[in-house]
Amino acid sequence: MCQLLGMNCNVPTDICFSFDGFSKRGGETGDHRDGFGIAFFEDKGVKLFLDSKPTIDSPIAEYIKTHPIHSLNVIAHIRKATQGKITLENCHPFIRQMWKKNWIFAHNGNLEHLVPTSNGYYSAIGDTDSETAFCDMLNRLYGEFGNQEPPIEILARKIRNISHEISTFGSFNYLLSNGEFLFCHCSTKLTYIVRQAPFSNAHLIDEDITVDFSLVTTSQDRVAVIATEPLTDNEIWTDIHPGELLIFNQGQPFPARY
Amino acid sequence: MCQLLGMNCNVPTDICFSFDGFSKRGGETGDHRDGFGIAFFEDKGVKLFLDSKPTIDSPIAEYIKTHPIHSLNVIAHIRKATQGKITLENCHPFIRQMWKKNWIFAHNGNLEHLVPTSNGYYSAIGDTDSETAFCDMLNRLYGEFGNQEPPIEILARKIRNISHEISTFGSFNYLLSNGEFLFCHCSTKLTYIVRQAPFSNAHLIDEDITVDFSLVTTSQDRVAVIATEPLTDNEIWTDIHPGELLIFNQGQPFPARY
């Protein structure tokens, strides 16, 4: 299996604190050693960093930790291979383009015997169930809506339905973003926290680091952090229910759960 | 205008020496300050680094220079904006997927009043003529060949024809790669060198650095470097002719000029 980390905010925020703890699980406090990746939206553009090395040995991971990148939507992934070789093309997150936007996707779970129900433009480059599922989702969305992106409510409903169908093949926890919304689907395990004023201290589980968010935020800031397992031990994380698609926008769930 | 740098090899090679000189043109020996990008193929995967900062101020560029990445195909670009804002989504190289492969593209030139002749699934995210031309090429290739990648000779002929047609809108120097072949189209300015045994010294134009390639190579190694302008002042660079599509594979022109 793998682990997921996502962030969605109302002001560009860096993810260094969360990534610090998360990256320890890539070989130190966790055994997710088969590569990692992290994608930062900057407006419509994406900075995507991938490495087939474990985070604890990767100079790119070290760069990420020491060079804050401010973003409204971030998706990170550390890999423990279930299907697919340990190669760069099998590292998450994956990137594709649809409706004049970049789409970023990372998956935790295992979809045994996944059979894509669609046949379209999008096809996997590597040999993971995850990339195959992502391409299947995009083919079905593009097949349904063509060149015109639908309103978010309609899009969300369709994504939820596709996710339920793909979930019949196995566990399908994922993070998906188009730079505006962060779609979080829980199949077995996904949890989140929304940090907003009044901000307080947070202490990492995987490393003895504490940050006082009140010193680095304004009263308007709002940041949602989503992860496979909680990253801090002195805050209350909320589990997303199995079968639920939770969508974040501007640092909070939008507009309701699907 | 912009500047291009490409590399195609028969063994994974790092581009640090060439990128050292090239990156100086992003604000020091040249005024290409409007962002940069560099893509390294690792098998079917791609490490793509983009920044809307000039290379001389970019910590990502510094990372590239100090952390050698070995690759068979590399495409780099420093930008001087003619069309499109200075934003991440307008930085080259651009990435798309076709025929279960990543495709990487960077452009030097200006295509005024470019009118895409195709309408398909590939569309530009930013507002550059370059990304629009790239998407137009892919739409036309996909429209012609569908889901089946044709043999290289047929593909090359089609790419050449498309390139000639797009060139009627302006200058269209570009580098394009699918991880196996490096397609280099010269419209006004593009030059290359093939380094192979017996290797000797090379001295950069943009910086007083010399490398003795005989110390870092084996007798079987072969490396083609392609650039808008020569990077070294003690080697003989060969100009690609305007209107010519030159394809590199395994570090040498393949199999003939198109």
Side-chain angles (χ1 to χ4, degrees), chain B:
Chain B
M1 298 296 221
C2 310
Q3 290 218 2
L4 297 168
L5 168 64
M7 186 176 74
N8 170 275
C9 327
N10 66 346
V11 288
T13 305
D14 82 69
I15 200 170
C16 290
F17 174 72
S18 296
F19 188 71
D20 246 345
F22 183 69
S23 64
K24 292 279 172 195
R25 300 176 184 179
E28 208 170 295
T29 58
D31 60 349
H32 307 83
R33 298 186 56 91
D34 302 331
F36 88 101
I38 184 164
F40 302 84
F41 276 93
E42 271 188 26
D43 226 333
K44 294 195 288 179
V46 174
K47 285 182 177 162
L48 173 60
F49 300 87
L50 298 169
D51 201 347
S52 53
K53 287 185 186 158
T55 41
I56 60 160
D57 297 333
S58 164
I60 296 182
E62 191 56 36
Y63 176 90
I64 303 297
K65 286 196 272 188
T66 51
H67 293 79
I69 296 175
H70 293 80
S71 173
L72 293 181
N73 282 285
V74 179
I75 293 180
H77 182 271
I78 47 176
R79 184 164 182 240
K80 187 177 177 189
T82 48
Q83 296 185 34
K85 297 185 296 288
I86 300 171
T87 56
L88 188 63
E89 67 262 26
N90 284 338
C91 290
H92 311 214
F94 302 102
I95 185 169
R96 292 295 187 276
Q97 294 75 29
M98 187 169 63
W99 301 326
K100 296 181 184 294
K101 291 179 179 172
N102 283 300
W103 289 77
I104 295 288
F105 173 88
H107 169 224
N108 152 250
N110 189 20
L111 300 163
E112 281 191 88
H113 314 300
L114 171 66
V115 181
T117 59
S118 63
N119 190 6
Y121 138 81
Y122 297 98
S123 57
I125 291 171
D127 53 1
T128 62
D129 52 335
S130 309
E131 192 187 11
T132 299
F134 176 38
C135 291
D136 191 37
M137 282 183 72
L138 295 180
N139 279 327
R140 293 169 72 175
L141 291 173
Y142 191 81
E144 175 93 10
F145 301 113
N147 274 323
Q148 190 61 47
E149 182 171 3
I152 178 65
E153 291 76 11
I154 294 173
L155 176 62
R157 210 168 302 134
K158 183 70 186 173
I159 290 179
R160 183 195 55 188
N161 292 344
I162 295 172
S163 303
H164 286 182
E165 288 177 34
I166 294 179
S167 296
T168 59
F169 293 99
S171 48
F172 194 44
N173 307 291
Y174 71 75
L175 303 179
L176 169 74
S177 182
N178 61 1
E180 187 180 1
F181 296 96
L182 181 62
F183 302 85
C184 309
H185 184 257
C186 176
S187 175
T188 54
K189 205 175 190 184
L190 207 52
T191 187
Y192 74 97
I193 186 168
V194 172
R195 297 193 182 111
Q196 54 194 338
F199 289 97
S200 57
N201 281 348
H203 178 261
L204 288 178
I205 291 174
D206 299 85
E207 205 173 359
D208 188 18
I209 295 181
T210 299
V211 68
D212 181 352
F213 285 117
S214 69
L215 301 177
V216 291
T217 49
T218 72
S219 61
Q220 276 74 48
D221 295 3
R222 196 169 50 228
V223 177
V225 177
I226 302 94
T228 299
E229 290 174 0
L231 290 164
T232 57
D233 54 16
N234 64 335
E235 298 178 297
I236 295 170
W237 291 69
T238 306
D239 287 346
I240 304 179
H241 300 134
E244 185 179 16
L245 177 69
L246 192 54
I247 301 172
F248 290 89
N249 177 249
Q250 298 284 323
Q252 63 185 349
F254 167 90
R257 295 170 183 229
Y258 284 87

Side-chain angles (χ1 to χ4, degrees), chain A residues 19 35-42 46-53 55 58-65 67-69 74-77 88 91-95 104, chain B residues 36 46-51 58-61 63-64 69 88:
Chain A
F19 188 72
F36 88 101
I38 184 164
F40 301 84
F41 275 92
E42 270 187 28
V46 174
K47 286 181 176 163
L48 173 60
F49 300 88
L50 299 169
D51 201 347
S52 53
K53 287 185 187 158
T55 42
S58 163
I60 296 182
E62 191 56 36
Y63 176 90
I64 303 297
K65 287 197 272 187
H67 294 80
I69 296 175
V74 180
I75 292 179
H77 183 272
L88 188 64
C91 290
H92 310 214
F94 302 102
I95 185 169
I104 294 288
Chain B
F36 88 101
V46 174
K47 285 182 177 162
L48 173 60
F49 300 87
L50 298 169
D51 201 347
S58 164
I60 296 182
Y63 176 90
I64 303 297
I69 296 175
L88 188 63

Side-chain angles (χ1 to χ4, degrees), chain A residues 82-101:
Chain A
T82 49
Q83 295 185 34
K85 297 185 294 288
I86 300 171
T87 55
L88 188 64
E89 67 262 27
N90 284 338
C91 290
H92 310 214
F94 302 102
I95 185 169
R96 292 293 188 278
Q97 294 75 28
M98 186 169 64
W99 300 326
K100 297 183 184 293
K101 290 179 179 171

